[in-house]
Amino acid sequence: MGKLAGSLGESEDKTKKAFDVAGSALLGGLMKQMSNPQSAKSVFDEVSRFDPGVLGNITQMLTGGGTKDSNSALTSMGTKMIGSLLGSNQNSIISMIARLTGIGEGTAKTLLTMLAPLFMGTIAKQVYADRMGHLLADKPNFAAAVVFYAIFVAGLVYFVIQPAVQDA
């Protein structure tokens, strides 16, 4: 929390309060969206397209690391997400976070923008685990992968490339 506070230019205490309030606001926004079937489908579609692998970049961003390009992409993603989760209430929620925690509105918006991808990524990770977890191995089986791709390439050569060359 110290690195995040430093990157936001706030005390660790205020940052923790703001983190908690912003997380609650995002959860509240998600709950509101889920109460409407059309909005729920939209959120689910967004979560389904989210790449949980980006969570490592979010952690770097939250702790002041990451590249300028990756942070910019995550900020853009976060801006879109808070817009879809909070809708027209976005500015009033940012003001509320600032007022309740003693941080500036710009800092509150930055924190929300940083937290939204983490929040949605955590949900996406759970969606992936629920829907595909049983298909994923705990550890990759490299021997099986080598055999699969060897058969795949041999099949391409035998069934696709060789006939195409003979017909040419």
Side-chain angles (χ1 to χ4, degrees):
M1 194 62 66
K3 287 184 179 181
L4 175 59
S7 71
L8 293 173
E10 296 288 346
S11 71
E12 196 168 334
D13 199 38
K14 284 183 180 180
T15 301
K16 176 157 181 15
K17 282 183 194 175
F19 188 92
D20 292 344
V21 173
S24 298
L26 290 171
L27 183 58
L30 177 65
M31 298 301 289
K32 183 177 180 186
Q33 296 297 328
M34 298 308 276
S35 68
N36 174 326
Q38 196 73 356
S39 297
K41 183 182 180 329
S42 174
V43 169
F44 184 77
D45 289 344
E46 191 170 328
V47 166
S48 297
R49 286 190 306 270
F50 189 85
D51 176 12
V54 82
L55 290 175
N57 294 338
I58 295 168
T59 304
Q60 287 180 343
M61 184 177 152
L62 287 173
T63 57
T67 66
K68 186 176 181 177
D69 288 341
S70 67
N71 288 352
S72 176
L74 288 169
T75 299
S76 175
M77 183 188 309
T79 299
K80 181 180 175 196
M81 287 178 181
I82 62 173
S84 67
L85 286 174
L86 305 178
S88 62
N89 297 325
Q90 179 178 336
N91 289 333
S92 60
I93 290 172
I94 289 169
S95 294
M96 178 199 65
I97 293 169
R99 201 171 47 254
L100 289 174
T101 61
I103 64 174
E105 287 189 14
T107 303
K109 183 174 183 176
T110 300
L111 182 62
L112 263 178
T113 301
M114 295 166 89
L115 285 180
L118 179 63
F119 182 77
M120 293 298 275
T122 302
I123 293 169
K125 196 171 184 180
Q126 189 61 44
V127 167
Y128 281 108
D130 287 348
R131 293 185 173 230
M132 298 188 324
H134 65 285
L135 300 174
L136 304 174
D138 291 332
K139 292 189 325 185
N141 185 339
F142 292 109
V146 168
V147 170
F148 170 80
Y149 284 108
I151 292 170
F152 179 75
V153 169
L156 279 176
V157 169
Y158 185 78
F159 292 110
V160 178
I161 297 172
Q162 186 179 13
V165 169
Q166 287 176 351
D167 290 344

